[in-house]
Amino acid sequence: KAGVTQTPRYLIKTRGQQVTLSCSPISGHRSVSWYQQTPGQGLQFLFEYFSETQRNKGNFPGRFSGRQFSNSRSEMNVSTLELGDSALYLCASSFIRGGSSGANVLTFGAGSRLTVL
Amino acid sequence: GENVEQHPSTLSVQEGDSAVIKCTYSDSASNYFPWYKQELGKGPQLIIDIRSNVGEKKDQRIAVTLNKTAKHFSLHITETQPEDSAVYFCAASGAQKLVFGQGTRLTINP
């Protein structure tokens, strides 16, 4: 079956702009988590959506937001981009709540690489 | 919240030798510990995981050990091959989310 699909794969923006990234989870998966990956900070949790509701949130400013649609597809948005937002943004899906005890494997997409100039 | 420390940050081994990567975690309530492998241009891929009611798990050349008392877990790769070259991440479950270590860049030298 198809894996987690993220679009776009690469994009370049300038400071102050905003960006929207898209994630299509594995069919049947209802949970979508987003992570930011940078060389210095590793994989940092952004937020998790389950059944269209944000269930968990990491320590990121309000400029980072997301949503999930009824078909489980998810988008994340970053407004007023800063140079430090340059990163690989990874989406992961799981059948139920992701990452918790007794829970399901997180399956990651290939990521969207954002460069802010 | 949960904090995961991973060592070493880089590791270089000769093909055929073994590689060991170690992680420690802070939250004693964590009970799920996966390991992910990330190749260039790809997202992390789960290679093995262990739950807290198990001390060791093996899958062919890969094994993971867990010491809940000491709050550390390790990844062991035996008979390393060139295709094992990648970045490896450990993670621990905490508060309904996975917290990742900083990653280990493993290089297998022919």
Side-chain angles (χ1 to χ4, degrees), chain A residues 67-113:
Chain A
R67 59 178 174 169
Q68 186 180 34
F69 303 95
S70 58
N71 61 358
S72 294
R73 191 177 70 84
S74 177
E75 289 181 348
M76 67 163 284
N77 183 276
V78 188
S79 62
T80 320
L81 284 166
E82 301 177 359
L83 295 179
D85 296 333
S86 295
L88 180 67
Y89 290 89
L90 290 161
C91 165
S93 74
S94 64
F95 183 63
I96 57 173
R97 295 289 304 278
S100 60
S101 63
N104 300 265
V105 169
L106 285 184
T107 302
F108 283 88
S112 293
R113 183 165 295 281

Side-chain angles (χ1 to χ4, degrees), chain B residues 66-82:
Chain B
L66 171 65
N67 183 327
K68 284 219 76 181
T69 303
K71 289 192 279 188
H72 66 70
F73 55 114
S74 302
L75 177 71
H76 304 251
I77 305 174
T78 59
E79 300 173 16
T80 52
Q81 301 169 4

Side-chain angles (χ1 to χ4, degrees), chain B residues 21-88:
Chain B
I21 302 171
K22 299 181 179 182
C23 290
T24 60
Y25 61 99
S26 61
D27 189 350
S28 57
S30 290
N31 55 13
Y32 174 61
F33 308 92
W35 286 88
Y36 284 82
K37 174 184 181 182
Q38 187 175 25
E39 297 174 316
L40 199 60
K42 298 182 180 180
Q45 180 181 14
L46 180 80
I47 55 172
I48 194 167
D49 58 11
I50 192 168
R51 301 186 192 276
S52 60
N53 57 347
V54 176
E56 182 176 1
K57 184 177 179 180
K58 279 187 177 180
D59 182 5
Q60 299 183 346
R61 297 185 297 108
I62 294 175
V64 58
T65 59
L66 171 65
N67 183 327
K68 284 219 76 181
T69 303
K71 289 192 279 188
H72 66 70
F73 55 114
S74 302
L75 177 71
H76 304 251
I77 305 174
T78 59
E79 300 173 16
T80 52
Q81 301 169 4
E83 54 265 34
D84 294 330
S85 292
V87 179
Y88 291 80

